[in-house]
Amino acid sequence: MILLAAVWIIPLLAIGGATLDRVLTDAVTRNFDGQLDFALDAMIAAADIGPTGEVRFTRPLGDQRFSEPYSGLYWQVSAKGQEAFVSRSLWDRTLVPSTTDCRTTCRTNDARFKDEPLRMVERDVALPGAPTRFHFQVAQSTADLDAQIGSLRSVLLWSLSILGLGLLALAALQSIYGLWPLRRVSQSIAAIRSGTATRVPEDFPREIAPFVAELNELLQHNDEQAEAARRHAGNLAHALKTPMSVLLGEARAGAPDLAATVESQTAIMRRHVDHHLARARATGRRAASASRADIWPSLEALARTIARIHTGRGTVIDVDGDKTLAFRGEKQDLEEMVGNLLDNAALYGGGRVFVTVSATAGNAVILIEDDGPGIPADERERLFERGARLDTAQPGTGLGLAIVRDVAEIYGGTVALGESEDLGGLAVTLTLPAAA
């Protein structure tokens, strides 16, 4: 930021300084030329023709320097074929007339005098009664002009330099002071990494406050993810502890039905592992992105697939409702939840499944109804427990509804069981956050 300010300030000051130098130099030069013009006009006004045709002055010129040898201020009147009429200040020197037509005032710089550059104004004038035009010249040493310009440039250079340094110092102060809160954020993050703090303090300027709030929310989210991972690991370890103890005890006791025990306990462990893996996958996908999945295409594809799987039962799945809704989450999780519900409806129903999609309060609601025997109200909540099954005659693991509820809750959704008013069987209401 300081370098950017320098790259901007220095060229602007240089351009401004060059422009101001040009303006001031021109003003001083015009003032210098104005004095020479005044002296030239005074010469012409005082000039007259003598008896022998020479030029003479009817009154002396006002500046005393014209009478002091080598004073730096000179005049001269010349004409073709006549001796030049010069000021006493020229002494033994003469001015060289310009070769151009000077009927209007000519301005030139003359360096013929050693160590004394001159600024000269000239004009050709026809005096009354004179047969020829006279060439009037007034010259002055530019030493004073150069000194004035040098003094102005020195003041200008120092002023702009001080101004530039002041502006750069202010830019540096603004950058250091303005970025200081970010240094505090860095220090707070270092404190969190070292374990001496858990969150970034919120006493920051309002420009930084949103960033700090988002950072703290990210830290909170990471803590929740870590806590969820620890909880999942603990739950899985606790769930596997009992089957492993049973297997170990049966093995040590040399039980005759050890094979059957191993098979049953391994099935239990598999259910627990599948459940926790499904929940962990959904949690990871939810943390990794904020995706969206169109609901209608997934429903149609799942309905065709489930109907083919259960074609021997004559299962018919009808889908109706809002075709534009989208789920604010991963397509894979949507299909896992809806696929489990449709498979249950086809497996335990009487052959008809009706799916309705609707929107309410910013959520997408998927209602799945079947014409099966339904489930008593006092048994519905128990079905969400891992491994719980009411009909053990049908194949399954008892994890479908538990996985559906876990994945839905990860996304902030819900799943509820009820009774279908139209088909008379079970009605499952899956509520999920809708995408914009």
Side-chain angles (χ1 to χ4, degrees):
M1 293 177 65
I2 298 172
L3 180 61
L4 181 62
V7 170
W8 178 253
I9 290 172
I10 293 175
L12 284 182
L13 287 178
I15 294 172
T19 303
L20 190 57
D21 174 76
R22 179 65 178 271
V23 171
L24 293 176
T25 300
D26 289 347
V28 173
T29 303
R30 283 196 302 271
N31 181 65
F32 189 83
D33 290 344
Q35 295 177 4
L36 294 180
D37 288 340
F38 178 79
L40 182 63
D41 291 340
M43 281 179 59
I44 296 172
D48 195 7
I49 301 298
T52 59
E54 80 283 2
V55 174
R56 60 181 182 180
F57 291 152
T58 58
R59 59 180 179 273
L61 299 180
D63 199 317
Q64 183 63 31
R65 289 177 294 173
F66 286 126
S67 302
E68 299 174 1
Y70 308 129
S71 64
L73 183 60
Y74 315 106
W75 58 258
Q76 177 177 297
V77 181
S78 57
K80 189 176 181 180
Q82 294 188 13
E83 185 179 355
F85 181 35
V86 301
S87 65
R88 182 178 177 82
S89 57
L90 277 173
W91 196 249
D92 57 350
R93 300 179 300 185
T94 58
L95 301 175
V96 178
S98 173
T99 58
T100 60
D101 186 3
C102 293
R103 298 191 181 188
T104 58
T105 303
C106 298
R107 307 179 192 280
T108 58
N109 292 318
D110 194 317
R112 291 185 177 90
F113 288 178
K114 185 179 180 181
D115 300 329
E116 191 179 25
L118 301 177
R119 177 74 171 171
M120 188 159 45
V121 294
E122 307 172 70
R123 192 185 304 168
D124 293 331
V125 178
L127 296 176
T132 184
R133 301 180 70 87
F134 289 92
H135 190 76
F136 288 78
Q137 295 173 269
V138 176
Q140 185 173 352
S141 172
T142 59
D144 292 342
L145 176 63
D146 294 340
Q148 292 181 27
I149 293 175
S151 177
L152 286 173
R153 286 177 174 170
S154 177
V155 173
L156 185 62
L157 177 62
W158 282 107
S159 300
L160 292 180
S161 298
I162 294 174
L163 177 61
L165 291 176
L167 291 175
L168 290 176
L170 179 59
L173 180 62
Q174 287 179 328
S175 300
I176 295 172
Y177 179 75
L179 295 177
W180 187 254
L182 294 182
R183 293 185 178 88
R184 289 179 53 201
V185 172
S186 177
Q187 294 168 359
S188 300
I189 294 175
I192 293 172
R193 187 168 56 248
S194 65
T196 58
T198 59
R199 293 292 182 272
V200 179
E202 298 183 355
D203 55 335
F204 283 92
R206 61 182 181 181
E207 292 82 5
I208 306 297
F211 167 67
V212 173
E214 291 290 340
L215 186 58
N216 282 331
E217 289 182 9
L218 177 61
L219 293 172
Q220 177 68 25
H221 178 72
N222 288 341
D223 288 346
E224 292 174 357
Q225 293 293 108
E227 179 61 29
R230 288 191 293 268
R231 186 169 61 252
H232 291 328
N235 290 342
L236 180 59
H238 180 74
L240 296 178
K241 183 178 180 180
T242 299
M244 292 175 67
S245 298
V246 171
L247 290 175
L248 184 60
E250 292 290 317
R252 288 175 176 174
D257 57 344
L258 180 60
T261 303
V262 170
E263 183 178 0
S264 63
Q265 296 302 316
T266 303
I268 293 174
M269 288 191 288
R270 180 183 177 185
R271 287 199 300 269
H272 289 308
V273 171
D274 289 343
H275 170 76
H276 285 283
L277 285 179
R279 185 178 180 92
R281 284 195 300 268
T283 303
R285 287 193 292 266
R286 173 62 174 168
S289 65
S291 303
R292 57 173 286 144
D294 293 327
I295 296 176
W296 191 264
S298 296
L299 283 179
E300 288 187 323
L302 289 170
R304 289 193 297 268
T305 301
I306 299 298
R308 283 197 298 268
I309 293 174
H310 298 281
T311 185
R313 297 172 176 269
T315 301
V316 177
I317 302 177
D318 296 319
V319 183
D320 193 14
D322 193 340
K323 298 182 179 181
T324 63
L325 283 177
F327 164 54
R328 192 171 71 242
E330 290 288 339
K331 179 180 179 181
Q332 184 176 349
D333 293 329
L334 172 66
E335 293 182 348
E336 183 171 11
M337 290 183 286
V338 177
N340 273 317
L341 296 178
L342 287 178
D343 187 58
N344 285 342
L347 185 63
Y348 299 106
R352 291 195 59 195
V353 180
F354 192 59
V355 183
T356 307
V357 183
S358 61
T360 176
N363 293 320
V365 179
I366 303 175
L367 177 63
I368 300 176
E369 303 172 88
D370 63 58
D371 60 348
I375 298 174
D378 57 346
E379 296 286 343
R380 292 170 186 166
E381 188 62 28
R382 189 170 70 86
L383 286 179
F384 291 106
E385 298 175 3
R386 293 190 293 273
R389 301 174 61 200
L390 297 183
D391 186 0
T392 57
Q394 298 290 350
T397 62
L399 291 175
L401 286 177
I403 291 175
V404 171
R405 170 174 279 187
D406 285 345
V407 175
E409 289 178 349
I410 288 172
Y411 285 99
T414 59
V415 59
L417 303 182
E419 183 177 352
S420 173
E421 297 180 359
D422 296 330
L423 301 181
L426 183 66
V428 183
T429 304
L430 178 62
T431 305
L432 299 172

